Amino acid sequence: MAITTRPTCTRCTRPQSHCLCAQIPYLPNQSQVLVLQHPDESKHPLNTARLAVLGLQQAQLWIGERFEALPALLERMEQVCVLFPAKAHHVCQPLSAWNTSVPSLLIVPDGTWRQVRKIIHANPILERLPHLSLPLAEPSAYRVRRAREAAAVSTIEAITRALQILEPEQNFSPLLRPFQTMVEQQIQAMGAEVYARNYQKNH
């Protein structure tokens, strides 16, 4: 018996019947964004990091655990922050002094907490860079994926919030449009009863 698969969009990787490309903006960002995605996370059907990268004019997605090209990229940057909970001596300070007129880079490790720690361990230079911790804000709208931490947000939400801090003059909220549509598509696909039983009680 032949196994059939639904055709997928080569850009957003969603099933063609649920393509999100029409929802993806192309927002100008002065700070470059580099997502370092764990290989296992790249296979997840609800891959929000890819949507974020597609929606920004200056963004890249690298997949792997060890990134040999990272030091050369960092040499070209005058400001760098890693989007990961900061130790006291590694906080990006002060954020008000972030100067978007010079080459700047926001590095975003992407995966589960365990996968992200593997990436940081495999690339010691990340540990030495300033880290940006997001302030507590609204709960995540990622209603179809469980998280151990109550304050956890999806990668696209984290990138949106971080860029809004670093570049307050720009409105990055449109970056969330395809994410919001994807969440609604998933809820509809699973049905109200399944969603309520498995996810709604956690919100």
Side-chain angles (χ1 to χ4, degrees):
M1 182 177 177
I3 298 175
T4 59
T5 57
R6 290 188 295 175
T8 58
C9 173
T10 56
R11 183 168 179 256
C12 71
T13 70
R14 294 287 292 163
Q16 287 183 359
S17 58
H18 292 79
C19 176
L20 296 170
C21 290
Q23 302 287 327
I24 299 173
Y26 193 51
L27 302 178
N29 55 307
Q30 300 301 315
S31 309
Q32 295 185 42
V33 174
L34 174 61
V35 176
L36 304 179
Q37 188 174 69
H38 191 276
D40 291 345
E41 184 67 17
S42 70
K43 302 169 189 173
H44 198 285
L46 305 182
N47 186 343
T48 74
R50 184 176 183 85
L51 296 177
V53 169
L54 290 173
L56 295 168
Q57 292 183 11
Q58 297 197 75
Q60 297 182 68
L61 176 65
W62 294 1
I63 299 174
E65 285 192 33
R66 187 181 300 276
F67 301 95
E68 304 294 344
L70 189 56
L73 175 61
L74 293 175
E75 287 181 1
R76 303 197 298 270
M77 297 295 157
E78 293 189 29
Q79 294 179 140
V80 181
C81 259
V82 179
L83 185 54
F84 190 71
K87 297 178 181 178
H89 60 291
H90 276 161
V91 180
C92 284
Q93 290 283 1
L95 287 177
S96 59
W98 185 268
N99 181 4
T100 55
S101 66
V102 301
S104 305
L105 179 66
L106 176 67
I107 299 176
V108 185
D110 180 48
T112 64
W113 287 112
R114 183 179 179 185
Q115 291 165 354
V116 167
R117 289 190 181 98
K118 282 185 177 181
I119 289 174
I120 293 176
H121 179 73
N123 302 272
I125 195 169
L126 294 175
E127 191 68 64
R128 299 193 294 271
L129 293 170
H131 287 193
L132 172 60
S133 294
L134 293 175
L136 291 177
E138 295 180 4
S140 173
Y142 207 175
R143 295 173 289 157
V144 292
R145 196 171 183 183
R146 294 190 181 94
R148 291 183 179 180
E149 302 292 335
V153 296
S154 66
T155 300
I156 195 169
E157 290 173 303
I159 291 173
T160 300
R161 295 181 187 188
L163 285 176
Q164 204 63 68
I165 292 171
L166 299 176
E167 302 179 26
E169 71 285 350
Q170 171 69 31
N171 178 19
F172 289 100
S173 61
L175 194 61
L176 296 172
R177 283 201 307 256
F179 165 69
Q180 293 161 347
T181 300
M182 182 184 70
V183 170
E184 291 301 326
Q185 289 174 348
Q186 291 300 119
I187 292 174
Q188 291 177 11
M190 71 177 66
E193 184 179 341
V194 173
Y195 169 67
R197 182 171 65 248
N198 293 291
Y199 298 96
Q200 207 165 23
K201 62 185 179 181
N202 296 324
H203 293 273

